[in-house]
Amino acid sequence: MSLYEPTTRDVLPADRTSAAGNSDATAGVDGAATPGPRRRWRRPLIAGAAAVVLVGAAVGGTLVAQTKSVSITVDGQAQQVSTRSGSVEGALAAAGLTAGEHDVLVPAADASITDGTNISLNRGRLLTLTVDGQTRQVWTTALTVDDAMAQLGENSSDFALSADRGRSIPLDGFAVDAATLHTTSLTDGTGPAITLATPATTVAALLTEQGITLGAQDTVTPALDTTVADGTAVTITRTVVADVVADEPIAQPADVTTEDPNLDRGTTAVTVQGAPGTSAVTYAVTTVNGTETARTEVGRTTSVEPIATQVSVGTKTTLTRVGNQVFFNDTEFGVNWDGLAFCESTHNPKAINAYPSRGLPTYGLFQFDLPTWQSVGGSGNPIDATPEEQIMRAKLLFQSRGLEPWACRAAAK
């Protein structure tokens, strides 16, 4: 039966009214008789319908008055719910929600609600947190790892985390490893000191984290097993021992002279030009942070052999000696060298004209003054040279100037 359908009781007052007025309904104003049933039931039906409308309106108004619209926010997500319940718990039930043991519900489940009430439900999540090897389990309503760390009174930036700081924590829980970061400095060889925030607990772990390997000769300060703390300064000294090959000169050997009977006495000729050699020298070179600190020779090979200059010394001569006089028996270049020597010095290799009529003093077989003697490669004084060298220098002078330098040039023809 609907709340809005009339009942027997609803029309009972109308029936009684009709019975009381039954005799009046039989006569009209004009005294004519009218059908009784028609007049008897008209008013009660109208009264009954009005009663139903009033009852329905009253019930409907009561239902509308009992229904409330509330806002339920679950983990930050809001939804509107209509409910006839008078408590928070009932409103949650209307939304298909329940508050768990580790959830945070505001207001409390048994609190009364009115239209427009705001309900907040933050669901608990089990976080398994391992900090520096120590594990604990905590319930949190935080939605992200970063928020959970903040709820625990920790700054997530102080740790290296196994999960991204913005990672959502699922309802079925989550495990996070956290390692405390230490502010350290690291200097590798000649590189600049760099500041690091590292979760490494030892110097060795720090080097591994940074991908740094040590050579056989390298050292690190402090030692590898030293515990890393804020302010720890790690310095790596790079020591390298490497072979270096350098070319070094070998001195040219002393000249080697050989007598040549086909070369005029007093003359020489270079038959082989000498030169220094080269050695490839291997050194073990030690460098510390790029600076050489030691060098030790470990090997040497000759790459270019040195060569001595070969000099032929002439022994050929046509001269003859008669006492202190020297005769050449030589007419090379068409010059009568004996005639010239006789006129200049009477064949005397030690002849000196200290006071010539003009010019400087002259010396030897061909009476050289010292500047002229030097101009053809002579050294010292001509009288100290052999007769062979004196005629050799005279021939050199002739080749450049002819007979012009000698006053006795006519004797040479």
Side-chain angles (χ1 to χ4, degrees), residues 334-361:
V335 175
N336 182 357
W337 295 104
D338 284 328
L340 183 60
F342 174 75
C343 179
E344 291 288 340
S345 63
T346 63
H347 300 286
N348 182 4
K350 302 291 186 182
I352 299 175
N353 183 0
Y355 304 103
S357 59
R358 60 180 182 173
L360 299 173

Side-chain angles (χ1 to χ4, degrees), residues 330-396:
D330 191 337
T331 58
E332 188 176 11
F333 304 121
V335 175
N336 182 357
W337 295 104
D338 284 328
L340 183 60
F342 174 75
C343 179
E344 291 288 340
S345 63
T346 63
H347 300 286
N348 182 4
K350 302 291 186 182
I352 299 175
N353 183 0
Y355 304 103
S357 59
R358 60 180 182 173
L360 299 173
T362 55
Y363 307 91
L365 286 165
F366 300 99
Q367 291 295 287
F368 279 95
D369 60 32
L370 294 182
T372 303
W373 174 256
Q374 293 168 359
S375 72
V376 290
S379 62
N381 194 304
I383 63 176
D384 297 322
T386 64
E388 290 85 355
E389 182 179 357
Q390 290 188 44
I391 192 172
M392 183 267 292
R393 303 291 176 198
K395 288 180 179 181
L396 291 174

